[in-house]
Amino acid sequence: MASGDRNPPWSERVWPAGWTVEYVDETGSTNTDLLETAFTRPDRSVRATGHQTAGRGRLDRRWDAPPGTNLLVSILFHTVPPSPNELTRRVGLAAVVACREVVGVHAALKWPNDILVGEAKLAGILAQRHQDGPVVVGMGLNVGWAPEGAARL
């Protein structure tokens, strides 16, 4: 969906109690957005976008996709378990289950931060911790576009 088009249908739905979900056409990075505003947002705030201009992957690798092609989303957690890595696993496992139940794609979680279909990468997950405690877990899921050698739904 190009900038200026209407929001995706899922952005207008009513979300379960305790979840705050917002969609923006374009941003630098959904992770950065949530980290910078962590203390003005409630726990389980979700920010999704149609395009990231400064998306990052693990080890500060650049992550990019054409506008409107993939699911680009981050979740802010104020309630952080003793092992913060648990949040990355939870988000990854939820995405694997959604791929199987919603689209019938048999994806698998490859620890620590990849979702694969066979040997091809379908999604990447990046967790970042704010210096004062909250954790943001972001995910880029290849829905309509994937780089060469990767998988898409």
Side-chain angles (χ1 to χ4, degrees), residues 16-35:
W19 288 89
T20 303
V21 179
E22 70 176 340
Y23 175 84
V24 296
D25 284 338
E26 183 176 292
T27 189
S29 161
T30 54
N31 268 27
T32 299
D33 293 348
L34 291 180
L35 285 169

Side-chain angles (χ1 to χ4, degrees), residues 64-94:
D64 198 16
T69 57
N70 292 335
L71 175 63
L72 311 170
V73 63
S74 296
I75 307 167
L76 170 67
F77 296 99
H78 286 286
T79 305
V80 179
S83 175
N85 294 338
E86 187 175 322
L87 295 172
T88 304
R89 287 191 300 269
R90 288 179 186 178
V91 169
L93 289 172

Side-chain angles (χ1 to χ4, degrees), residues 93-130:
L93 289 172
V96 165
V97 168
C99 287
R100 289 179 182 172
E101 291 183 0
V102 176
V103 218
V105 171
H106 291 280
L109 184 61
K110 176 186 172 194
W111 182 249
N113 69 327
D114 291 335
I115 297 173
L116 304 178
V117 174
E119 296 295 315
K121 186 171 179 174
L122 177 65
I125 301 167
L126 178 66
Q128 295 177 280
R129 189 164 202 166
H130 189 284

